[in-house]
């Protein structure tokens, strides 16, 4: 059997909540790479800006490292996992402190060639 080549790109420790990025991941999963890029460029979501960079990187990896045709690429796999949480504090009444969690994400996009 012919093994399917997959090119991937990651952005680790992105300072955005994985919940926000996962919305964009679900939107582009399975789509043609050019269509996914156009969708993200015209969607006013916080995660789109980072995801565009990662998708461009994955497409460049596919073209340069695996000699894939950029016109046939599609997003075969994408997810955003939770990274480490930066814990900060907000002063409150009577000397107490409320915790503020500044979440980070590990974003991964994989592209493959359509048959």
């Amino acid at each position: 059997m012919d093994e399917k080549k997959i090119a991937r790109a990651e952005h680790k420790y992105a300072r955005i909540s994985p919940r926000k990025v996962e919305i964009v991941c679900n939107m582009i999963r399975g789509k043609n790479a050019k269509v996914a890029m156009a969708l993200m460029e015209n969607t006013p979501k916080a995660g789109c800006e980072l995801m565009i960079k990662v998708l461009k990187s994955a497409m460049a990896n596919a073209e340069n490292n695996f000699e894939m045709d950029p016109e046939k690429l599609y997003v075969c796999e994408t997810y955003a996992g939770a990274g480490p949480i930066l814990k900060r504090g907000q002063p409150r009444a009577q000397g107490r402190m409320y915790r503020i969690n500044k979440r980070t994400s590990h974003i991964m996009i994989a592209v493959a060639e359509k048959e």
Side-chain angles (χ1 to χ4, degrees):
M1 260 207 234
D2 188 29
E3 189 81 20
K4 185 163 85 166
K5 284 193 253 178
I6 296 175
R8 37 182 289 163
E10 291 184 4
H11 182 332
K12 296 218 169 205
Y13 308 105
R15 252 302 281 125
I16 188 168
S17 167
R19 185 174 173 181
K20 293 178 183 177
V21 181
E22 196 61 43
I23 293 168
V24 182
C25 287
N26 294 337
M27 184 176 71
I28 66 166
R29 193 175 290 121
K31 298 249 188 329
N32 184 307
K34 300 272 185 193
V35 172
M37 187 73 74
L39 269 172
M40 287 190 292
E41 284 170 351
N42 294 299
T43 303
K45 285 282 178 198
C48 285
E49 207 171 301
L50 294 167
M51 294 283 285
I52 287 171
K53 285 185 177 184
V54 180
L55 181 57
K56 281 182 182 176
S57 178
M59 289 168 67
N61 289 344
E63 192 174 349
N64 294 316
N65 300 347
F66 298 103
E67 285 132 24
M68 293 186 204
D69 183 16
E71 298 300 315
K72 295 181 183 175
L73 292 177
Y74 76 101
V75 180
C76 65
E77 191 182 348
T78 176
Y79 59 83
I85 298 170
L86 303 172
K87 295 168 179 88
R88 301 292 181 259
Q90 171 83 22
R92 301 302 290 193
Q94 298 178 359
R96 292 185 175 89
M97 182 198 76
Y98 279 7
R99 179 185 278 168
I100 296 175
N101 291 329
K102 298 197 178 271
R103 298 180 187 279
T104 60
S105 307
H106 298 318
I107 304 167
M108 196 283 297
I109 295 180
V111 293
E113 232 175 6
K114 273 255 199 278
E115 302 304 313

